[in-house]
Amino acid sequence: IIAGGALGKPETSPVYARMVERAGTTGTVGIIPTASGVADEVGPEYVKDFDGLLKSSGRAGVVPLTTRTAALADASTVAEAIRNYRVLFFTGGDQSRILQVFRNTNPRSAE
């Protein structure tokens, strides 16, 4: 599901309902707060919102990728966490932050 623009709170949006449906019986949703200027606050808020929408066996979690933790984009543990989620939700914010972290534009990558 690709959607943009202020969708409102998860409990009021049919887009969020569709994401929960796509999560299936395992109900795993990974929150990627990379675009947000306040990722450490926004990530846990969305986890709480999605946990409220998921079935009892479901769970949501934060993928710890922010501009401060960009080096983790190369970590195998983060890649594994991403693979284990059925649905990934990118929060709103400055989308160029996503490129900054995921494109690995750090000069050390040229080595």
mmCIF file of all heavy atoms in Angstrom, residues 58-86:
data_model
loop_
_atom_site.group_PDB
_atom_site.id
_atom_site.type_symbol
_atom_site.label_atom_id
_atom_site.label_comp_id
_atom_site.label_asym_id
_atom_site.label_seq_id
_atom_site.Cartn_x
_atom_site.Cartn_y
_atom_site.Cartn_z
ATOM 1 N N GLY A 58 -1.027 -10.024 17.220
ATOM 2 C CA GLY A 58 -0.227 -9.094 16.439
ATOM 3 C C GLY A 58 0.687 -8.239 17.283
ATOM 4 O O GLY A 58 0.575 -8.175 18.502
ATOM 5 N N ARG A 59 1.635 -7.612 16.592
ATOM 6 C CA ARG A 59 2.524 -6.698 17.283
ATOM 7 C C ARG A 59 3.071 -5.691 16.283
ATOM 8 O O ARG A 59 3.141 -5.947 15.092
ATOM 9 C CB ARG A 59 3.675 -7.433 17.949
ATOM 10 C CG ARG A 59 4.627 -8.100 16.968
ATOM 11 C CD ARG A 59 5.841 -8.711 17.643
ATOM 12 N NE ARG A 59 6.651 -9.423 16.676
ATOM 13 C CZ ARG A 59 7.530 -8.859 15.860
ATOM 14 N NH1 ARG A 59 7.709 -7.565 15.885
ATOM 15 N NH2 ARG A 59 8.230 -9.580 15.001
ATOM 16 N N ALA A 60 3.463 -4.571 16.798
ATOM 17 C CA ALA A 60 4.135 -3.547 16.000
ATOM 18 C C ALA A 60 5.455 -3.246 16.683
ATOM 19 O O ALA A 60 5.614 -3.481 17.882
ATOM 20 C CB ALA A 60 3.273 -2.295 15.909
ATOM 21 N N GLY A 61 6.391 -2.760 15.925
ATOM 22 C CA GLY A 61 7.689 -2.423 16.487
ATOM 23 C C GLY A 61 8.352 -1.341 15.655
ATOM 24 O O GLY A 61 7.987 -1.123 14.499
ATOM 25 N N VAL A 62 9.308 -0.667 16.238
ATOM 26 C CA VAL A 62 10.023 0.403 15.553
ATOM 27 C C VAL A 62 11.288 -0.165 14.921
ATOM 28 O O VAL A 62 12.048 -0.892 15.565
ATOM 29 C CB VAL A 62 10.399 1.539 16.531
ATOM 30 C CG1 VAL A 62 11.250 2.604 15.853
ATOM 31 C CG2 VAL A 62 9.146 2.166 17.129
ATOM 32 N N VAL A 63 11.492 0.158 13.666
ATOM 33 C CA VAL A 63 12.762 -0.133 12.999
ATOM 34 C C VAL A 63 13.646 1.076 13.298
ATOM 35 O O VAL A 63 13.316 2.186 12.912
ATOM 36 C CB VAL A 63 12.568 -0.326 11.480
ATOM 37 C CG1 VAL A 63 13.895 -0.536 10.790
ATOM 38 C CG2 VAL A 63 11.608 -1.490 11.210
ATOM 39 N N PRO A 64 14.748 0.891 14.006
ATOM 40 C CA PRO A 64 15.520 2.012 14.557
ATOM 41 C C PRO A 64 16.411 2.733 13.543
ATOM 42 O O PRO A 64 17.620 2.818 13.700
ATOM 43 C CB PRO A 64 16.360 1.341 15.644
ATOM 44 C CG PRO A 64 16.627 -0.013 15.081
ATOM 45 C CD PRO A 64 15.349 -0.393 14.362
ATOM 46 N N LEU A 65 15.786 3.262 12.501
ATOM 47 C CA LEU A 65 16.563 3.983 11.494
ATOM 48 C C LEU A 65 16.172 5.461 11.478
ATOM 49 O O LEU A 65 15.065 5.808 11.085
ATOM 50 C CB LEU A 65 16.343 3.367 10.111
ATOM 51 C CG LEU A 65 16.908 1.966 9.935
ATOM 52 C CD1 LEU A 65 16.498 1.394 8.588
ATOM 53 C CD2 LEU A 65 18.417 1.974 10.081
ATOM 54 N N THR A 66 17.084 6.279 11.951
ATOM 55 C CA THR A 66 16.912 7.726 11.934
ATOM 56 C C THR A 66 18.188 8.322 11.365
ATOM 57 O O THR A 66 19.166 7.618 11.133
ATOM 58 C CB THR A 66 16.677 8.279 13.357
ATOM 59 O OG1 THR A 66 17.889 8.144 14.106
ATOM 60 C CG2 THR A 66 15.542 7.563 14.078
ATOM 61 N N THR A 67 18.193 9.624 11.164
ATOM 62 C CA THR A 67 19.415 10.254 10.662
ATOM 63 C C THR A 67 20.544 10.110 11.676
ATOM 64 O O THR A 67 21.708 10.091 11.298
ATOM 65 C CB THR A 67 19.179 11.732 10.322
ATOM 66 O OG1 THR A 67 18.619 12.396 11.454
ATOM 67 C CG2 THR A 67 18.240 11.870 9.135
ATOM 68 N N ARG A 68 20.223 9.967 12.948
ATOM 69 C CA ARG A 68 21.254 9.772 13.977
ATOM 70 C C ARG A 68 21.788 8.344 14.000
ATOM 71 O O ARG A 68 22.877 8.089 14.480
ATOM 72 C CB ARG A 68 20.720 10.124 15.369
ATOM 73 C CG ARG A 68 20.520 11.584 15.625
ATOM 74 C CD ARG A 68 20.102 11.879 17.088
ATOM 75 N NE ARG A 68 19.528 10.782 17.838
ATOM 76 C CZ ARG A 68 18.260 10.358 17.764
ATOM 77 N NH1 ARG A 68 17.415 10.947 16.959
ATOM 78 N NH2 ARG A 68 17.841 9.363 18.513
ATOM 79 N N THR A 69 20.997 7.412 13.514
ATOM 80 C CA THR A 69 21.396 6.003 13.549
ATOM 81 C C THR A 69 21.577 5.445 12.142
ATOM 82 O O THR A 69 21.386 4.247 11.915
ATOM 83 C CB THR A 69 20.355 5.161 14.319
ATOM 84 O OG1 THR A 69 19.104 5.235 13.607
ATOM 85 C CG2 THR A 69 20.192 5.629 15.748
ATOM 86 N N ALA A 70 21.960 6.279 11.206
ATOM 87 C CA ALA A 70 22.067 5.880 9.795
ATOM 88 C C ALA A 70 22.991 4.689 9.589
ATOM 89 O O ALA A 70 22.764 3.870 8.693
ATOM 90 C CB ALA A 70 22.527 7.064 8.954
ATOM 91 N N ALA A 71 24.021 4.551 10.405
ATOM 92 C CA ALA A 71 24.949 3.425 10.256
ATOM 93 C C ALA A 71 24.237 2.087 10.417
ATOM 94 O O ALA A 71 24.689 1.070 9.888
ATOM 95 C CB ALA A 71 26.091 3.547 11.256
ATOM 96 N N LEU A 72 23.108 2.067 11.110
ATOM 97 C CA LEU A 72 22.361 0.822 11.298
ATOM 98 C C LEU A 72 21.714 0.331 10.006
ATOM 99 O O LEU A 72 21.308 -0.830 9.925
ATOM 100 C CB LEU A 72 21.288 0.997 12.371
ATOM 101 C CG LEU A 72 21.789 1.171 13.800
ATOM 102 C CD1 LEU A 72 20.612 1.437 14.738
ATOM 103 C CD2 LEU A 72 22.564 -0.054 14.245
ATOM 104 N N ALA A 73 21.622 1.197 8.998
ATOM 105 C CA ALA A 73 21.013 0.787 7.734
ATOM 106 C C ALA A 73 21.767 -0.374 7.111
ATOM 107 O O ALA A 73 21.209 -1.147 6.337
ATOM 108 C CB ALA A 73 20.943 1.967 6.775
ATOM 109 N N ASP A 74 23.042 -0.517 7.450
ATOM 110 C CA ASP A 74 23.859 -1.618 6.941
ATOM 111 C C ASP A 74 23.890 -2.829 7.874
ATOM 112 O O ASP A 74 24.492 -3.845 7.532
ATOM 113 C CB ASP A 74 25.305 -1.148 6.734
ATOM 114 C CG ASP A 74 25.436 -0.171 5.587
ATOM 115 O OD1 ASP A 74 24.625 -0.242 4.650
ATOM 116 O OD2 ASP A 74 26.351 0.656 5.629
ATOM 117 N N ALA A 75 23.256 -2.732 9.011
ATOM 118 C CA ALA A 75 23.328 -3.800 10.006
ATOM 119 C C ALA A 75 22.452 -4.985 9.611
ATOM 120 O O ALA A 75 21.286 -4.820 9.247
ATOM 121 C CB ALA A 75 22.911 -3.287 11.376
ATOM 122 N N SER A 76 23.002 -6.175 9.707
ATOM 123 C CA SER A 76 22.240 -7.372 9.369
ATOM 124 C C SER A 76 21.051 -7.561 10.315
ATOM 125 O O SER A 76 20.020 -8.091 9.906
ATOM 126 C CB SER A 76 23.137 -8.604 9.382
ATOM 127 O OG SER A 76 23.695 -8.799 10.665
ATOM 128 N N THR A 77 21.183 -7.108 11.547
ATOM 129 C CA THR A 77 20.070 -7.247 12.496
ATOM 130 C C THR A 77 18.878 -6.387 12.081
ATOM 131 O O THR A 77 17.732 -6.803 12.249
ATOM 132 C CB THR A 77 20.507 -6.863 13.924
ATOM 133 O OG1 THR A 77 21.068 -5.549 13.896
ATOM 134 C CG2 THR A 77 21.510 -7.855 14.480
ATOM 135 N N VAL A 78 19.153 -5.216 11.526
ATOM 136 C CA VAL A 78 18.060 -4.351 11.054
ATOM 137 C C VAL A 78 17.426 -4.954 9.804
ATOM 138 O O VAL A 78 16.199 -4.987 9.672
ATOM 139 C CB VAL A 78 18.548 -2.913 10.805
ATOM 140 C CG1 VAL A 78 17.487 -2.072 10.123
ATOM 141 C CG2 VAL A 78 18.957 -2.263 12.123
ATOM 142 N N ALA A 79 18.250 -5.467 8.901
ATOM 143 C CA ALA A 79 17.717 -6.111 7.694
ATOM 144 C C ALA A 79 16.830 -7.294 8.076
ATOM 145 O O ALA A 79 15.752 -7.483 7.503
ATOM 146 C CB ALA A 79 18.858 -6.559 6.793
ATOM 147 N N GLU A 80 17.262 -8.072 9.035
ATOM 148 C CA GLU A 80 16.479 -9.223 9.490
ATOM 149 C C GLU A 80 15.158 -8.767 10.113
ATOM 150 O O GLU A 80 14.104 -9.366 9.869
ATOM 151 C CB GLU A 80 17.279 -10.061 10.491
ATOM 152 C CG GLU A 80 16.592 -11.327 10.932
ATOM 153 C CD GLU A 80 16.361 -12.328 9.816
ATOM 154 O OE1 GLU A 80 17.088 -12.300 8.804
ATOM 155 O OE2 GLU A 80 15.432 -13.145 9.950
ATOM 156 N N ALA A 81 15.206 -7.702 10.918
ATOM 157 C CA ALA A 81 13.978 -7.178 11.523
ATOM 158 C C ALA A 81 12.995 -6.741 10.438
ATOM 159 O O ALA A 81 11.798 -7.042 10.514
ATOM 160 C CB ALA A 81 14.299 -6.016 12.451
ATOM 161 N N ILE A 82 13.508 -6.053 9.425
ATOM 162 C CA ILE A 82 12.649 -5.595 8.332
ATOM 163 C C ILE A 82 12.027 -6.794 7.613
ATOM 164 O O ILE A 82 10.835 -6.798 7.313
ATOM 165 C CB ILE A 82 13.436 -4.693 7.363
ATOM 166 C CG1 ILE A 82 13.716 -3.336 8.044
ATOM 167 C CG2 ILE A 82 12.682 -4.495 6.051
ATOM 168 C CD1 ILE A 82 14.656 -2.433 7.285
ATOM 169 N N ARG A 83 12.811 -7.816 7.348
ATOM 170 C CA ARG A 83 12.287 -9.022 6.682
ATOM 171 C C ARG A 83 11.193 -9.702 7.502
ATOM 172 O O ARG A 83 10.300 -10.337 6.946
ATOM 173 C CB ARG A 83 13.415 -10.022 6.420
ATOM 174 C CG ARG A 83 14.202 -9.750 5.156
ATOM 175 C CD ARG A 83 15.095 -10.933 4.792
ATOM 176 N NE ARG A 83 16.203 -11.105 5.714
ATOM 177 C CZ ARG A 83 17.364 -10.461 5.642
ATOM 178 N NH1 ARG A 83 17.568 -9.584 4.704
ATOM 179 N NH2 ARG A 83 18.314 -10.695 6.517
ATOM 180 N N ASN A 84 11.259 -9.598 8.809
ATOM 181 C CA ASN A 84 10.294 -10.292 9.659
ATOM 182 C C ASN A 84 8.954 -9.584 9.801
ATOM 183 O O ASN A 84 8.009 -10.188 10.311
ATOM 184 C CB ASN A 84 10.904 -10.547 11.041
ATOM 185 C CG ASN A 84 11.945 -11.644 10.993
ATOM 186 O OD1 ASN A 84 11.841 -12.569 10.201
ATOM 187 N ND2 ASN A 84 12.957 -11.539 11.825
ATOM 188 N N TYR A 85 8.869 -8.336 9.375
ATOM 189 C CA TYR A 85 7.583 -7.638 9.417
ATOM 190 C C TYR A 85 6.785 -7.944 8.154
ATOM 191 O O TYR A 85 7.330 -8.010 7.063
ATOM 192 C CB TYR A 85 7.779 -6.124 9.552
ATOM 193 C CG TYR A 85 8.251 -5.699 10.921
ATOM 194 C CD1 TYR A 85 9.522 -5.171 11.110
ATOM 195 C CD2 TYR A 85 7.425 -5.836 12.022
ATOM 196 C CE1 TYR A 85 9.959 -4.786 12.367
ATOM 197 C CE2 TYR A 85 7.852 -5.457 13.289
ATOM 198 C CZ TYR A 85 9.115 -4.932 13.451
ATOM 199 O OH TYR A 85 9.535 -4.558 14.700
ATOM 200 N N ARG A 86 5.485 -8.117 8.325
ATOM 201 C CA ARG A 86 4.602 -8.344 7.166
ATOM 202 C C ARG A 86 4.274 -7.032 6.474
ATOM 203 O O ARG A 86 4.027 -7.007 5.276
ATOM 204 C CB ARG A 86 3.307 -9.011 7.625
ATOM 205 C CG ARG A 86 3.500 -10.355 8.266
ATOM 206 C CD ARG A 86 3.077 -11.523 7.444
ATOM 207 N NE ARG A 86 1.827 -11.297 6.739
ATOM 208 C CZ ARG A 86 1.567 -11.858 5.572
ATOM 209 N NH1 ARG A 86 2.424 -12.640 4.999
ATOM 210 N NH2 ARG A 86 0.421 -11.621 4.973
#
